[in-house]
Amino acid sequence: MAATDIARQVGEGCRTVPLAGHVGFDSLPDQLVNKSVSQGFCFNILCVGETGLGKSTLMDTLFNTKFEGEPATHTQPGVQLRSNTYDLQESNVGLKLTIVSTVGFGDQINKEDSYKPIVEFIDAQFEAYLQEELKIRRVLHTYHDSRIHACLYFIAPTGHSLKSLDLVTMKKLDSKVNIIPIIAKSDAISKSELTKFKIKITSELVSNGVQIYQFPTDDESVAEINGTMNAHLPFAVIGSTEELKIGNKMMKARQYPWGTVQVENEAHCDFVKLREMLIRVNMEDLREQTHTRHYELYRRCKLEEMGFKDTDPDSKPFSLQETYEAKRNEFLGELQKKEEEMRQMFVQRVKEKEAELKEAEKELHEKFDRLKKLHQDEKKKLEDKKKSLDDEVNAFKQRKTAAELLQSQGSQAGGSQTLKRDKEKKKYLHPPWLSKHWPTWLPHQSPALQSVVFPGPQSHSPFSEGSKRRYLMSFPLASSLALSSYDSLKVTALKLCEKSATSLFTPSPAHKTRLLEKTA
Amino acid sequence: MDPQRRSPSPCSSRPASPRTPPCEMLGSVGIEAVLDQLKIKAMKTGFEFNIMVVGQSGLGKSTMVNTLFKSKVWKPTPPALGGPVPQTLQLHSVTHVIEEKGLKLKLTVTDTPGFGDQINNDKCWDPILGYINKQYERYLQEEILITRQRHIPDTRVHCCVYFVPPTGHCLRPLDIEFLQRLCRTVNVVPVIARADSLTIEEREAFRRRIQQNLRTHCIDVYPQKCFDEDINDRILNSKIRDRIPFAVVGADREHLVNGRCVLGRKTKWGIVEVENMAHCEFPLLRDLLIRSHLQDLKDITHNVHYENYRVIRLNESHLLPRGPGWVNLAPASSRQLTSPGPVKVCEWTQDDSDDEF
């Protein structure tokens, strides 16, 4: 491949070539401006000051709108920052304005750490921009720049000097942001006091080495006005959103019994100067200073902290790529380690869980076995009981057959005795109480009934229905059959009684009802 | 690894988020004064513009540059009679400061004598690509320094004017190859050189054929369609796109025509006026390059082409690519010495329009 030969003829000190005609690149600034207009501008203001110094009111007055927000209370536990973004449009210029306000500044009893949230917030904005810039795929041109461009520091109008809190905070902020100190609520100070106050403040700032923002004086178009304004720092401002009729114009003012303070009157306060400086003359410069000075400083410190260097100890130029690589490998290694750890932890946890589950399973099995055993025991007991009952039934049956046998033997022994026997039998088989209750033509020789209803020859006493039933109930299988037949028989008996009451026997009404009751 | 290139829109309108309520302003605040502030700042810092002209020798590149900037930027080098044709493709750069109405413009013109002049023109675009990438690399190195300068000197090529020889037929394979490769890296504006050898009808036919060729081979010349932001831009740019490539004639001699002094070429059959729209389209080219789209060229170079380069460079830094003409500004580490990286002719894949603009 052919080697490249690049001959650069001029470095610095290029010769100026005269133009023979109109080329037309003087429209370049217009092209630039058009592009910027279509992109839109953004401007971020930070208002630092104690509660009640009129920060929100001043913002409203500056931008001629009513930004919403309620006044903060004095009971905040720490300093917080409240940020709001608004879209302002004037003719064809769109401005994305972000106003950040400290809430609770100077309200605590111990104010040592009051400046920390503010510094952290500013650093966070720088960090966000740096991260975006360091990204591999970045979209810097559409990135919403949230870095603070101007910090308005509100000084309380004591008339004496700066408070120590102010000094400390400003000292911490001066290397991070453009500070513009202003004296708030300056309608509380008289003119002579004001000049003394301003001198005192500036001298204190200088003696403490606080770098406040100086309006640029290098460009001749704005050098003059900026120079004079620099002498008026810090501006004594008054904010007001109320409009009063003064003369024949409506203007923003504050009304007191002793007079009216006009906000836009240069003799009354420096509000107009502040607006000029902040917005109309130096907005672009504020943004540039933020980007080229404060942000670069932050970036340098941050990158050095991260370990990047421009030259290594051998004073050979370090390549950022190499450091990137090293960091990247380190990072990957860390990630891998973490992954390993996590995997191990996961495996351990899984094992533990498994053990637990196994235990639970074992327990369940044991319980199941226990219950099964119980169940079997119960079943066995019931079977034993059943067996014993069956034995009793058999014994009873045997006794009955024995009794019958005896009876048949008795009848064989004496015929004369037969009648007697018969009578006895009859008496026995048809005891008087039964003949009353039981019609003779009804089958009374069913063996089940006999064996059940008629007890052994020992007892003669009549059985109540209840006891009979109870007796029947102790023999489940046989008894149910007997009971049902017994019940059905009883029912039919009653019916027949009803039918032929007079022919067979006339039960007394009381008796009849008793029967009916008992069968019911 | 085939790098994927993403081309986001260089500048988009502010996103409307519910967080930012539009506010009514009751009086004049003075926000529009920021435009004047911008202008003042721009005038103070000055402008830079880097242009590269590519084409075979004898197509009138140097004359064209002189005509564009109305000054003797280049001394046109007549081909040495009987002298040896330079064996290597050389790139010459000159920097001048031109001033108009208080505005200073630092103009750098890079010429490529010897392009396409050899018998075997294979890979003749590599030195050019290498040069362009080297400028990006230089800017990148400046940008990633810890303590960097307030204003990084911008040597990146903002625009590359490609001279198509007036054959009247269609684009040659060399042209197609070159345009394909360069369109991904830099803004390319093709022009039909020496258009006074074509009649108006031939010009139109040639132009249509070239446009068709460009479409067939998916070559996206400036102004790229995908970077049109709003409807106005699109209308304006489609008018321009309709006329690309411009048929231009370069001249740095003045002649008297109808009592006026005009730049033109005098021939036996008449004077070709350079600034006459009926004769050639030089005014269109000048307006595009200087009067209306100069800032846009710079923006697209910075926001799109440079970012693409940066992405690839940072992604591949651990692979240590060795593209042709790539100058390694990093000190050699032991790893580099032991394993020589493969010579890669980077294949750019085309990105389809599924990106958000």
Side-chain angles (χ1 to χ4, degrees):
Chain A
M1 210 24 259
T4 19
D5 230 14
I6 299 167
R8 217 153 226 272
Q9 284 179 357
V10 197
E12 295 306 289
C14 330
R15 65 184 176 103
T16 313
V17 177
L19 292 178
H22 175 69
V23 178
F25 58 82
D26 53 343
S27 63
L28 256 181
D30 295 319
Q31 291 180 32
L32 184 66
V33 159
N34 285 339
K35 262 258 143 54
S36 308
V37 164
S38 65
Q39 259 180 321
F41 298 94
C42 76
F43 194 56
N44 308 322
I45 302 182
L46 169 68
C47 295
V48 182
E50 293 175 16
T51 322
L53 276 184
K55 303 190 282 288
S56 324
T57 318
L58 186 68
M59 286 298 114
D60 289 348
T61 325
L62 256 181
F63 291 102
N64 259 329
T65 54
K66 187 87 184 69
F67 300 123
E68 26 4 283
E70 335 85 33
T73 63
H74 284 262
T75 52
Q76 301 283 339
V79 178
Q80 282 164 6
L81 286 115
R82 213 169 24 183
S83 158
N84 289 311
T85 312
Y86 308 98
D87 267 333
L88 302 175
Q89 185 92 19
E90 189 174 82
S91 57
N92 61 340
V93 179
L95 178 73
K96 210 181 187 74
L97 178 73
T98 306
I99 297 182
V100 188
S101 185
T102 52
V103 170
F105 187 76
D107 278 336
Q108 292 81 32
I109 294 175
N110 182 3
K111 295 182 245 193
E112 265 181 7
D113 294 337
S114 292
Y115 69 88
K116 283 196 185 141
I118 306 175
V119 170
E120 275 166 15
F121 181 81
I122 297 174
D123 279 345
Q125 309 313 309
F126 282 146
E127 183 66 32
Y129 193 85
L130 181 67
Q131 288 302 321
E132 183 63 32
E133 201 189 10
L134 286 181
K135 265 196 213 170
I136 292 189
R137 269 193 209 282
R138 59 189 190 184
V139 271
L140 269 182
H141 40 83
T142 45
Y143 180 71
H144 170 53
D145 188 7
S146 59
R147 301 172 291 184
I148 303 292
H149 300 130
C151 170
L152 293 177
Y153 197 92
F154 287 70
I155 301 172
T158 56
H160 298 311
S161 62
L162 280 177
K163 297 190 191 164
S164 49
L165 171 67
D166 294 339
L167 272 173
V168 165
T169 315
M170 278 208 258
K171 193 86 181 79
K172 294 279 178 203
L173 291 179
D174 68 349
S175 58
K176 293 200 179 286
V177 75
N178 304 315
I179 299 187
I180 302 175
I182 56 180
I183 302 172
K185 294 200 170 174
S186 60
D187 48 352
I189 314 183
S190 71
K191 208 120 181 119
S192 49
E193 282 177 2
L194 193 63
T195 31
K196 271 195 279 188
F197 192 28
K198 279 194 189 180
I199 294 170
K200 193 79 190 358
I201 290 177
T202 29
S203 65
E204 276 197 345
L205 288 174
V206 162
S207 61
N208 278 293
V210 176
Q211 301 259 357
I212 56 173
Y213 177 71
Q214 297 290 325
F215 302 116
T217 47
D218 43 2
D219 187 35
E220 61 278 346
S221 54
V222 290
E224 207 186 296
I225 185 168
N226 279 344
T228 43
M229 290 302 175
N230 274 330
H232 283 276
L233 276 176
F235 296 126
V237 294
I238 299 167
S240 167
T241 44
E242 293 163 2
E243 297 218 344
L244 301 169
K245 198 167 170 74
I246 298 170
N248 51 357
K249 281 206 300 177
M250 295 291 285
M251 44 168 75
K252 291 194 277 266
R254 284 175 66 80
Q255 184 142 59
Y256 291 106
W258 49 88
T260 317
V261 184
Q262 294 158 28
V263 169
E264 299 198 1
N265 189 336
E266 293 233 25
H268 290 195
C269 73
D270 296 332
F271 173 80
V272 177
K273 294 196 184 79
L274 175 68
R275 187 175 57 193
E276 278 289 313
M277 287 293 102
L278 191 63
I279 302 174
R280 291 188 185 164
V281 178
N282 294 310
M283 194 195 271
E284 189 55 38
D285 184 66
L286 282 164
R287 286 167 44 167
E288 199 185 320
Q289 289 286 325
T290 311
H291 180 67
T292 51
R293 197 144 62 99
H294 302 292
Y295 172 69
E296 287 296 317
L297 182 65
Y298 176 82
R299 180 177 173 274
R300 189 162 49 232
C301 297
K302 199 69 203 295
L303 287 181
E304 273 171 8
E305 205 180 284
M306 289 211 291
F308 293 109
K309 282 193 281 288
D310 272 343
T311 58
D312 67 355
D314 298 332
S315 72
K316 267 202 303 227
F318 234 5
S319 128
L320 203 58
Q321 266 74 26
E322 297 222 326
T323 349
Y324 262 137
E325 273 171 57
K327 294 248 163 213
R328 191 204 194 106
N329 290 335
E330 215 182 289
F331 183 65
L332 282 174
E334 260 185 50
L335 273 182
Q336 255 183 321
K337 237 188 345 190
K338 263 198 190 152
E339 209 185 312
E340 274 301 315
E341 270 180 44
M342 271 173 64
R343 198 175 293 152
Q344 277 180 2
M345 208 163 61
F346 180 69
V347 164
Q348 205 185 356
R349 282 236 187 100
V350 164
K351 278 202 189 133
E352 280 178 24
K353 204 65 188 211
E354 246 188 272
E356 265 180 50
L357 284 173
K358 273 206 182 120
E359 282 258 349
E361 210 186 323
K362 226 167 64 178
E363 263 183 58
L364 271 175
H365 276 304
E366 279 179 22
K367 205 168 167 189
F368 179 68
D369 288 336
R370 243 198 344 259
L371 283 174
K372 202 162 153 195
K373 225 172 91 185
L374 259 169
H375 189 73
Q376 276 178 344
D377 289 342
E378 292 264 327
K379 204 167 161 192
K380 217 168 120 202
K381 272 194 216 154
L382 283 171
E383 279 184 6
D384 289 343
K385 251 192 183 166
K386 192 172 161 212
K387 220 169 123 197
S388 59
L389 284 169
D390 281 338
D391 290 339
E392 275 190 43
V393 168
N394 287 340
F396 187 72
K397 272 194 190 154
Q398 280 174 7
R399 275 210 303 269
K400 192 192 147 233
T401 43
E404 279 182 2
L405 214 62
L406 265 172
Q407 276 177 15
S408 56
Q409 279 176 4
S411 65
Q412 278 174 13
S416 56
Q417 301 259 345
T418 326
L419 268 167
K420 230 194 199 174
R421 278 289 146 81
D422 266 346
K423 267 195 191 162
E424 272 193 53
K425 195 183 178 185
K426 236 187 175 178
K427 235 199 217 171
Y428 180 67
L429 286 173
H430 309 283
W433 57 270
L434 191 62
S435 58
K436 263 199 197 170
H437 305 282
W438 204 271
T440 48
W441 53 265
L442 267 182
H444 57 271
Q445 277 165 352
S446 63
L449 212 56
Q450 274 187 325
S451 62
V452 168
V453 174
F454 306 113
Q458 291 94 337
S459 64
H460 296 286
S461 54
F463 282 96
S464 66
E465 297 279 324
S467 60
K468 272 191 231 154
R469 214 173 247 280
R470 263 180 266 127
Y471 198 73
L472 277 170
M473 290 308 285
S474 58
F475 303 97
L477 282 164
S479 67
S480 56
L481 193 63
L483 252 175
S484 54
S485 52
Y486 180 56
D487 281 347
S488 56
L489 279 169
K490 259 215 262 177
V491 166
T492 36
L494 273 166
K495 281 199 189 138
L496 286 167
C497 284
E498 293 289 311
K499 266 197 199 159
S500 51
T502 50
S503 61
L504 292 171
F505 69 96
T506 52
S508 62
H511 191 65
K512 196 174 174 187
T513 49
R514 213 171 52 238
L515 264 176
L516 286 166
E517 275 173 359
K518 281 185 182 159
T519 53
Chain B
M1 180 174 105
D2 278 339
Q4 285 290 319
R5 283 196 137 168
R6 205 178 65 146
S7 322
S9 150
C11 29
S12 61
S13 49
R14 280 171 290 123
S17 61
R19 222 168 42 97
T20 62
C23 286
E24 286 285 318
M25 295 210 304
L26 308 170
S28 152
V29 176
I31 296 177
E32 35 181 17
V34 75
L35 300 179
D36 295 325
Q37 297 172 29
L38 260 186
K39 274 199 202 152
I40 295 172
K41 187 178 90 160
M43 305 273 281
K44 209 162 50 123
T45 49
F47 294 91
E48 287 169 320
F49 190 57
N50 308 321
I51 187 170
M52 178 190 267
V53 284
V54 184
Q56 285 180 301
S57 38
L59 282 181
K61 303 189 291 288
S62 324
T63 321
M64 176 57 58
V65 172
N66 285 346
T67 324
L68 260 179
F69 293 102
K70 288 212 169 59
S71 52
K72 289 267 185 290
V73 176
W74 270 114
K75 246 199 325 263
T77 49
L81 296 163
V85 176
Q87 288 302 313
T88 60
L89 174 63
Q90 300 180 337
L91 284 106
H92 287 289
S93 263
V94 277
T95 310
H96 296 289
V97 174
I98 46 181
E99 188 177 332
E100 190 175 56
K101 290 196 186 150
L103 191 75
K104 284 195 171 43
L105 177 71
K106 189 166 156 198
L107 178 71
T108 307
V109 183
T110 314
D111 195 5
T112 56
F115 175 80
D117 284 343
Q118 277 85 39
I119 295 175
N120 181 6
N121 284 316
D122 194 23
K123 295 210 193 335
C124 62
W125 46 81
D126 280 344
I128 299 175
L129 273 178
Y131 175 78
I132 296 173
N133 282 329
K134 185 165 159 242
Q135 305 315 309
Y136 287 147
E137 180 70 27
R138 198 175 284 185
Y139 193 88
L140 179 67
Q141 292 294 338
E142 283 286 331
E143 200 191 20
I144 60 181
L145 277 181
I146 306 289
T147 18
R148 42 188 196 193
Q149 305 169 20
R150 188 171 255 250
H151 179 70
I152 302 175
D154 193 0
T155 54
R156 304 170 290 189
V157 176
H158 298 134
C159 177
C160 174
V161 184
Y162 186 73
F163 286 76
V164 177
T167 58
H169 296 174
C170 60
L171 283 179
R172 301 167 302 157
L174 172 66
D175 302 330
I176 293 171
E177 279 295 320
F178 183 83
L179 286 171
Q180 264 182 335
R181 280 157 209 283
L182 245 73
C183 273
R184 315 304 170 90
T185 329
V186 76
N187 301 317
V188 177
V189 180
V191 293
I192 302 174
R194 286 194 181 272
D196 48 348
S197 60
L198 297 169
T199 63
I200 303 286
E201 297 84 18
E202 282 169 1
R203 255 188 234 170
E204 284 304 311
F206 191 29
R207 197 202 315 273
R208 298 283 157 237
R209 268 195 288 268
I210 291 182
Q211 281 174 352
Q212 204 176 4
N213 277 334
L214 293 177
R215 267 196 299 270
T216 324
H217 294 274
C218 304
I219 299 172
D220 211 7
V221 297
Y222 185 82
Q224 290 97 337
K225 202 174 274 194
C226 38
F227 300 142
D228 284 342
E229 292 167 33
D230 52 16
I231 192 73
N232 296 330
D233 276 351
R234 209 169 297 145
I235 294 173
L236 184 67
N237 286 345
S238 28
K239 282 202 203 115
I240 296 172
R241 276 191 280 270
D242 207 36
R243 311 288 285 162
I244 290 236
F246 301 124
V248 293
V249 176
D252 49 2
R253 293 238 182 91
E254 288 198 346
H255 303 273
L256 215 61
V257 171
N258 294 340
R260 286 176 309 137
C261 229
V262 289
L263 284 172
R265 285 169 62 77
K266 187 160 179 197
T267 59
K268 285 235 163 20
W269 46 92
I271 297 180
V272 184
E273 288 171 47
V274 165
E275 303 210 357
N276 193 337
M277 268 304 290
H279 291 197
C280 78
E281 286 161 6
F282 172 78
L284 283 181
L285 177 69
R286 184 197 51 206
D287 288 344
L288 176 74
L289 280 188
I290 300 173
R291 291 192 188 168
S292 56
H293 284 74
L294 205 155
Q295 189 60 37
D296 192 43
L297 283 164
K298 287 171 66 170
D299 280 343
I300 291 187
T301 310
H302 179 68
N303 292 332
V304 178
H305 296 299
Y306 171 68
E307 288 295 321
N308 281 339
Y309 174 82
R310 184 175 172 276
V311 165
I312 293 165
R313 187 83 168 96
L314 290 184
N315 264 337
E316 290 186 348
S317 63
H318 61 287
L319 293 180
L320 300 170
R322 289 284 167 269
W326 209 299
V327 175
N328 181 24
L329 296 179
S333 72
S334 55
R335 211 162 8 112
Q336 292 173 27
L337 294 172
T338 49
S339 60
V343 173
K344 281 205 291 200
V345 178
C346 303
E347 300 276 296
W348 310 126
T349 58
Q350 178 170 35
D351 228 357
D352 278 327
S353 56
D354 53 349
D355 304 329
E356 78 285 0
F357 290 128

